[in-house]
Amino acid sequence: MQINFQQLRTIMKESGIPVYRDEAPTTAVYPYIIYEFVNEIHKRSSSKVLKSMPLYQIAVITKGTETDFEPLKKVFNEHGVEFSPLIGIPYDENDDTITQFITMVRCVNE
């Protein structure tokens, strides 16, 4: 299903996981979602832009496992949101080992 940016934000919030753009406050409690703009493509006809299609990277940041991504995956599937395969990337943050589970979602804005 094609969704626009506002629908994406609303659906992410339905997961019950806190949602932030670009970075979370230092007081954020794991898990939380961070989304970032990646790029935008355009569908054109006769040099006219018919649709802009921004791509967003969505990361669930957690000290836990991939099960922390399940609430987001569930609401995406309930709404028919197409998302890329999940990638887990561990890193250190404030002497804690954190995992960032990343997916990508392309929106369609007219």
Side-chain angles (χ1 to χ4, degrees), residues 30-71:
Y30 301 113
Y32 55 83
I33 297 170
I34 294 181
Y35 68 94
E36 300 173 300
F37 174 83
V38 175
N39 68 29
E40 183 175 58
I41 60 174
H42 295 111
K43 291 288 183 182
R44 297 178 180 270
S45 179
S46 301
S47 299
K48 181 181 177 186
V49 175
L50 300 177
K51 295 179 182 180
S52 64
M53 301 171 65
L55 179 67
Y56 291 92
Q57 175 181 291
I58 300 166
V60 175
I61 313 296
T62 182
K63 288 174 77 173
T65 66
E66 65 276 5
T67 58
D68 288 341
F69 189 84
E70 289 300 316

Side-chain angles (χ1 to χ4, degrees), residues 9-41:
R9 284 184 42 84
T10 300
I11 292 167
M12 287 190 295
K13 289 178 181 182
E14 282 181 27
S15 72
I17 302 171
V19 177
Y20 305 101
R21 182 170 183 135
D22 296 326
E23 64 181 286
T26 56
T27 57
V29 178
Y30 301 113
Y32 55 83
I33 297 170
I34 294 181
Y35 68 94
E36 300 173 300
F37 174 83
V38 175
N39 68 29
E40 183 175 58
I41 60 174

Side-chain angles (χ1 to χ4, degrees), residues 60-110:
V60 175
I61 313 296
T62 182
K63 288 174 77 173
T65 66
E66 65 276 5
T67 58
D68 288 341
F69 189 84
E70 289 300 316
L72 183 61
K73 190 164 71 170
K74 181 181 177 191
V75 295
F76 278 175
N77 288 329
E78 287 172 357
H79 290 278
V81 176
E82 293 185 33
F83 57 98
S84 67
L86 183 64
I87 300 170
I89 301 172
Y91 65 98
D92 289 329
E93 180 178 275
N94 301 328
D95 297 325
D96 286 332
T97 299
I98 305 302
T99 303
Q100 180 173 222
F101 293 102
I102 299 172
T103 189
M104 302 285 214
V105 173
R106 174 109 24 219
C107 294
V108 177
N109 300 324
E110 296 185 30

